[in-house]
Amino acid sequence: MSDASIERLLQPSLDHAEPPARAPFSASAQFLTGVFGGPLGLVFCFVGSIHRLRRWRQDALFLAALIVILFGAVLLPQTAAGAPLRAWLVDLLGRSGPGSWTTLCTSLAALAAIHRHQRQRRAADLMGLRVNGAFAACLAMVVVSAGLSYLFNAVMRMS
């Protein structure tokens, strides 16, 4: 090998013009934010991970599909077409049936969102990257999503 080819091999291969992406929220933080914050909390946390990873182009279609499917499934029992589902849930679980349905749909969507960034989460763990202030950020997402859900329910009851 010539000295020129060896010299080229020893050059850093990463470009320092753009800083590396930050770590996404952990799988447990994302799941718990979805469970306690509901569908909005899950979407907020997933969007936070997308933003931290700078993966807007790669995840835009998945995010749109997740939002449409999740909110469609959660709101289905509230529509006339979903009345049989709502009646079945109430017969099966009592008054908590629709709430349990929402938690089930949100949990399944959280698992899909966790799986979406599994490789990036593993790479961040191997590199020792952590999210600073993840607890406070996820708690804020839960509080905001709970408040927005309360407002949405209040508006729906007035109509």
Side-chain angles (χ1 to χ4, degrees), residues 29-96:
Q30 196 160 9
F31 188 80
L32 291 173
T33 302
V35 168
F36 292 116
L40 282 176
L42 172 65
V43 169
F44 290 159
C45 193
F46 187 61
V47 166
S49 287
I50 291 171
H51 180 70
R52 293 182 64 76
L53 291 169
R54 287 187 242 126
R55 286 181 46 104
W56 287 104
R57 286 187 181 163
Q58 296 94 326
D59 290 335
L61 185 61
F62 181 84
L63 176 63
L66 181 82
I67 290 171
V68 168
I69 292 169
L70 177 60
F71 285 100
V74 166
L75 294 176
L76 178 65
Q78 309 301 326
T79 64
L85 174 63
R86 181 177 181 82
W88 179 74
L89 289 169
V90 170
D91 287 343
L92 183 66
L93 300 171
R95 293 182 62 196
S96 67

Side-chain angles (χ1 to χ4, degrees):
M1 279 187 143
S2 69
D3 286 337
S5 63
I6 292 174
E7 196 64 34
R8 186 180 61 79
L9 290 174
L10 295 175
Q11 294 296 320
S13 60
L14 298 177
D15 186 14
H16 295 292
E18 184 176 332
R22 298 177 293 173
F25 287 107
S26 69
S28 58
Q30 196 160 9
F31 188 80
L32 291 173
T33 302
V35 168
F36 292 116
L40 282 176
L42 172 65
V43 169
F44 290 159
C45 193
F46 187 61
V47 166
S49 287
I50 291 171
H51 180 70
R52 293 182 64 76
L53 291 169
R54 287 187 242 126
R55 286 181 46 104
W56 287 104
R57 286 187 181 163
Q58 296 94 326
D59 290 335
L61 185 61
F62 181 84
L63 176 63
L66 181 82
I67 290 171
V68 168
I69 292 169
L70 177 60
F71 285 100
V74 166
L75 294 176
L76 178 65
Q78 309 301 326
T79 64
L85 174 63
R86 181 177 181 82
W88 179 74
L89 289 169
V90 170
D91 287 343
L92 183 66
L93 300 171
R95 293 182 62 196
S96 67
S100 298
W101 173 257
T102 299
T103 303
L104 174 68
C105 292
T106 305
S107 298
L108 292 174
L111 291 175
I114 289 167
H115 181 69
R116 180 69 180 187
H117 291 154
Q118 181 179 2
R119 178 183 289 162
Q120 289 79 13
R121 199 170 287 111
R122 186 171 39 235
D125 287 343
L126 289 173
M127 293 174 58
L129 298 176
R130 298 280 181 250
V131 179
N132 295 332
F135 178 77
C138 290
L139 182 62
M141 290 178 210
V142 168
V143 169
V144 168
S145 62
L148 290 174
S149 295
Y150 177 78
L151 288 174
F152 177 75
N153 286 333
V155 168
M156 292 303 290
R157 285 188 187 129
M158 291 174 144
S159 304

